[in-house]
Amino acid sequence: GLLLVAAAGGVPRAALSAAWAVPGYLVCGVALLAAMRGPVPAPVRHGFARASGAVQVLAVAWALPVVVVALLGPFGWTARIWSGAPQDMRAAVTVDAPWPPHAATAALVLAVVAAVAAGVARTPTAWCAQAAAGAVALAWASALVLPATLELPYAAGLFAQGLTAAAMLAVAACARRTPVSATALLLSLLTAAGLALLSLPSRGATVAVPAALTALLAVAAVRGRLTAVCASASLAAATGLACAVGAVAGLPAAHIALPVLAVSAAAAVLAARVPGAAVPVEAMGALSGLVAIGLAVTDGPVLALVLALCGVVAAGTALRADRRGAGYVAAALFVPAAWVRLACWSVGAPEAYALAVTVPALAVGFVRRHRDPLASSWTAYGPGLSATLVPSLLTAWGDADRPRPLLLGAVALALTLLGARHRLQAPLVLGGGVLVLDALHELAPYLVQLAGILPRWLPPALAGLLLLSVGATYEQRIRDARRVREALGRMR
């Protein structure tokens, strides 16, 4: 069979251009499958099938570089955003990569092999599902490289890529076989990502493409088994759309954070409405919130607002019975929001503001512990103590005056003793940590002076003695560490 293909395929190779050499061999290889339908002995039939399969695999391998260029080439636009729309799709995908030679028939080769795989998938064999998935992948690859092969105009090429993504979503929604549906869904997301990259050269396309992808993926999310993935992808596209609109409008990066945060709020609402897709939707909402925080980090007041709004979203999520843990995230966001706001106001005495939060929070925590003695001290007292201790510690590290570090050390020592006395983990850990850091801040000047006076060989010698001491009592130190850990674990 291979000799027949080599002989027959040599005729078009000699008569036609180099671009038609591989299609000629491929047609001869597919013709072997037609010969199998006649009165051919079983060993010959099996040999023809293997020979045809080998020819098709080699043909797909020949077309694979074109697919790689069409898929990965648009990444080059990340360094050339809004540099101007290219003339055609081939220029769009070859911004940083050369177009493979004699690749004019690559889309045809992939389409022929996809048709053969689709025919194999109709036969009731053990490989029919895998063959169907392969047919879908090859058809997608053919559609992916066709706009660049035909050198379609830039706008027409974007529209063709959008149709490819929509077709793959339709196949994923309608396919009855799981491998086919999963393959089509993955390929649709790859197409959407490539389409988003291809939109970067043009300002108008940078806005239009994410908007179209958001709508397309939102419509696909209505289908039950696609809801989780498509809803998350739609939120990701919406995040990109918010960034693109803000950038095109000339807004500062910090102000773009607010529309991005609206996507996070929409994700929280959607997760409550669609329980089956709650986890991936909430994960994408959290990622949008992190993007918003990253955009706002250069502007203090906006950062404080974004942190506070993120806390509001987390607090709203905590209203659900199965998401009570989001309340801790809300508290962890509200506290830094307050710290950032105090820093923006150049407040030199944060305790005057923080104590107004700490006292009610500790009172609420005391009531909680009184009603539920098994409640964790971190839940009851952790937020209130952190609200005052952390900003005071940060201020003390930059404060040259003595009263604040000394008062903070005294308060931290008292909290440490109270935590040890009443077996409360939060006051013990927070008070002890603040006490150690405050002591290091106070002793730092003397340690620097001492290091300048002592001989240079003394610190390595002391370090060696410490290592010898620890090594000699290694097992005892391990037992002590375990006892400390167990003691802390028994605390509330």
Side-chain angles (χ1 to χ4, degrees), residues 191-260:
T191 308
L195 188 57
L197 292 173
L198 286 172
S199 68
L200 294 178
S202 171
R203 289 176 179 265
T206 304
V207 175
V209 168
L213 291 177
T214 301
L216 177 63
L217 293 168
V219 172
V222 177
R223 190 74 176 183
R225 57 181 174 178
L226 303 182
T227 300
V229 176
C230 289
S232 303
S234 179
L235 291 171
T239 302
L241 175 61
C243 294
V245 171
V248 170
L251 297 177
H255 293 176
I256 299 176
L258 297 177
V260 171

Side-chain angles (χ1 to χ4, degrees), residues 109-490:
V109 168
L110 293 170
V112 171
V113 181
V116 174
V120 174
R122 294 181 179 180
T123 59
T125 60
W127 299 94
C128 59
Q130 288 75 9
V136 170
L138 290 168
W140 166 82
S142 178
L144 184 70
V145 303
L146 188 60
T149 302
L150 299 178
E151 298 185 64
L152 293 180
Y154 177 65
L158 292 181
F159 184 74
Q161 295 287 72
L163 288 180
T164 302
M168 288 296 104
L169 285 175
V171 172
C174 300
R176 297 180 180 179
R177 298 168 177 172
T178 302
V180 176
S181 179
T183 301
L185 182 58
L186 176 60
L187 295 178
S188 67
L189 296 179
L190 286 177
T191 308
L195 188 57
L197 292 173
L198 286 172
S199 68
L200 294 178
S202 171
R203 289 176 179 265
T206 304
V207 175
V209 168
L213 291 177
T214 301
L216 177 63
L217 293 168
V219 172
V222 177
R223 190 74 176 183
R225 57 181 174 178
L226 303 182
T227 300
V229 176
C230 289
S232 303
S234 179
L235 291 171
T239 302
L241 175 61
C243 294
V245 171
V248 170
L251 297 177
H255 293 176
I256 299 176
L258 297 177
V260 171
L261 194 58
V263 178
S264 182
V269 175
L270 182 61
R273 297 278 182 100
V274 189
V279 175
V281 168
E282 288 173 346
M284 186 53 62
L287 183 60
S288 298
L290 290 176
V291 171
I293 294 173
L295 289 171
V297 75
T298 57
D299 192 324
V302 178
L303 178 60
L305 177 60
V306 169
L307 288 172
L309 292 177
C310 288
V312 172
V313 174
T317 303
L319 295 177
R320 295 164 49 193
D322 58 339
R323 291 291 186 271
R324 298 301 188 194
Y328 300 106
V329 179
L333 288 168
F334 283 133
V335 172
W339 295 343
V340 173
R341 173 52 62 184
L342 293 177
C344 294
W345 285 338
S346 300
V347 173
E351 296 84 2
Y353 299 88
L355 286 175
V357 178
T358 296
V359 173
L362 293 179
V364 173
F366 179 79
V367 174
R368 170 72 183 278
R369 288 274 302 175
H370 181 72
R371 294 181 178 180
D372 183 12
L374 298 179
S376 172
S377 62
W378 288 102
T379 304
Y381 304 124
L385 293 176
S386 301
T388 295
L389 290 177
V390 175
S392 296
L393 178 63
L394 295 177
T395 306
W397 271 65
D399 192 355
D401 297 333
R402 289 291 181 183
R404 177 175 280 108
L406 294 178
L407 292 175
L408 180 61
V411 172
L413 177 62
L415 287 174
T416 305
L417 296 177
L418 286 174
R421 173 67 178 81
H422 297 283
R423 305 181 64 81
L424 297 176
Q425 200 176 92
L428 176 63
V429 173
L430 289 175
V434 171
L435 181 61
V436 170
L437 293 176
D438 188 56
L440 286 176
H441 173 262
E442 291 300 300
L443 294 175
Y446 304 104
L447 293 177
V448 171
Q449 293 179 3
L450 185 62
I453 296 174
L454 295 176
R456 293 185 177 182
W457 56 264
L458 188 58
L462 293 177
L465 290 176
L466 179 62
L467 289 176
L468 288 175
S469 174
V470 172
T473 59
Y474 175 75
E475 295 182 356
Q476 180 63 33
R477 299 288 78 78
I478 292 295
R479 288 194 293 269
D480 293 342
R482 288 175 179 172
R483 281 198 295 268
V484 171
R485 184 183 64 183
E486 292 173 356
L488 283 175
R490 288 192 297 267

